[in-house]
Amino acid sequence: MSTTSFTDDVPAAEAVPTPGQPQAGETAGHRALALLAQHRLVTTPQMHQMLSPGKSHQRTSQVLTRLRQDELITFALVPGSSRVRVWFLTATGARVTSGWPELRGRAVQAPESRLDASLRTGHTLTVLRTHLTFLEAARDRGDEYGPLDWVPEVAHRLPDTGGEDKLIADAVLHYTSTSPRRLQYRAFVEVDRTTMSSERLARKLISYARFHEYVPQPVGRRGTIADQAAMLAWHRFYPKFPRVLFVLTNASPVTLRNRIEDLRAMTAGHQLVARFAGKVALGAAVLEDLEAEGASAPVWTPLTGSDERRSWTEL
């Protein structure tokens, strides 16, 4: 193992020292480890886009090389590529980052092997591609949205109705718009690579609608203080129910349009989902449109009412 510690890295942002106080600025190595702990698998270009945008790619490569020498991270090759590396934490890296303040509440796990990492790249890297479109849009607009404001694989319990017992969102984003006025947004994001049937994709709307109305049963007899204190499950996590965004890719334009129409049909035709859609903004977009025009561009199709495309914040 290299004797070079990642804490010796170049600071990610220059800090103004306070007389008599130690400097506590984060290093680029620290930030890279936090990003890998949060996003699990990251290619070198994706890491550069999050870690050092506008700066030399060599700097990002140096940071990753140093962390690899310290045996905190390693890499596999993206399937079908002989050169593109996808980075992930080693077991040591997972232990080091576990409990970091910026990762509090997250279970930091390392892939079991290079093969395990390689088999996960398809979905995980596509989810991260989606995140990067919001990150670029926020930078262009001057909004507040950072590399760690996208939380992958967020799970919530569902009511026991004989269906799925968990809602697992591909990601939850936390975004603050600064103009024309300051507004905070949250969204559940579902990324569809056309690997499941269109009907199964649309059924995810039912899961979100169930979660929206779920009140966990309190412990104790009816009429007790515990029963009176019962509240909607989502109130425990969010001040307002996040909007739900579907991002589709990996198929022809016709297929993707049809899948969006199936989402709209589910919204209109299912009583529970229709009631849910009356209270929560729902929309869908194609990933390639987000990458070409920006995540804040009018590329989102509402799942209710007019199908005229608009920005995700205007759904």
Side-chain angles (χ1 to χ4, degrees), residues 24-77:
E26 290 181 351
T27 66
H30 178 107
R31 291 179 60 206
L33 283 174
L35 290 170
L36 286 171
Q38 179 100 318
H39 300 295
R40 309 286 175 86
L41 301 172
V42 182
T43 66
T44 305
Q46 288 173 332
M47 179 63 76
H48 181 73
Q49 194 172 347
M50 292 188 287
L51 190 66
S52 304
K55 298 183 180 179
S56 168
H57 284 73
Q58 184 179 5
R59 175 180 177 178
T60 299
S61 297
Q62 290 172 341
V63 170
L64 294 172
T65 297
R66 183 173 299 178
L67 293 174
R68 184 190 176 203
Q69 289 171 345
D70 286 343
E71 299 183 8
L72 295 170
I73 69 174
T74 188
F75 70 88
L77 294 178

Side-chain angles (χ1 to χ4, degrees), residues 23 43 51 54 74 107 110 122 150 171 188 198 202 217 231 233 250 254 258 264 269 297:
Q23 284 189 284
T43 66
L51 190 66
T74 188
W150 174 278
F188 291 115
S198 185
Q217 292 299 310
M231 62 191 303
N250 200 38
V254 172
N258 288 340
R264 284 174 56 84

Side-chain angles (χ1 to χ4, degrees), residues 252-297:
S252 70
V254 172
T255 297
L256 297 179
R257 281 199 302 271
N258 288 340
R259 290 171 83 85
I260 291 175
E261 284 305 311
D262 290 343
L263 288 168
R264 284 174 56 84
M266 173 65 79
T267 305
H270 192 285
Q271 184 177 9
L272 178 63
V273 178
R275 186 164 66 243
F276 170 60
K279 300 176 181 179
V280 177
L282 312 174
V286 173
L287 176 55
E288 286 73 16
D289 290 343
L290 302 184
E291 293 176 326
E293 302 183 45
S296 295

Side-chain angles (χ1 to χ4, degrees), residues 32-44 46-47 64 67-68 71-79 84-94 97 108-121 124-125 128:
L33 283 174
L35 290 170
L36 286 171
Q38 179 100 318
H39 300 295
R40 309 286 175 86
L41 301 172
V42 182
T43 66
T44 305
Q46 288 173 332
M47 179 63 76
L64 294 172
L67 293 174
R68 184 190 176 203
E71 299 183 8
L72 295 170
I73 69 174
T74 188
F75 70 88
L77 294 178
V78 173
V84 179
R85 294 180 175 184
V86 59
W87 297 90
F88 54 93
L89 296 178
T90 62
T92 300
T97 56
V108 178
Q109 297 177 335
E112 295 181 1
S113 64
R114 282 187 170 86
L115 177 60
D116 180 31
S118 179
L119 293 173
R120 295 172 183 262
T121 55
T124 304
L125 295 183
L128 186 52

Side-chain angles (χ1 to χ4, degrees), residues 122-178:
H123 184 71
T124 304
L125 295 183
T126 304
V127 170
L128 186 52
R129 279 175 60 194
T130 305
H131 165 46
L132 295 178
T133 67
F134 285 92
L135 189 62
E136 286 299 303
R139 288 169 177 164
D140 290 342
R141 290 170 50 86
D143 290 338
E144 295 177 12
Y145 179 77
L148 294 177
D149 289 331
W150 174 278
V151 185
E153 297 180 11
V154 176
H156 292 295
R157 285 181 55 197
L158 290 176
D160 183 10
T161 59
E164 294 178 330
D165 62 354
K166 282 186 180 179
L167 166 66
I168 303 178
D170 284 329
V172 174
L173 70 82
H174 302 265
Y175 189 105
T176 300
S177 176
T178 59

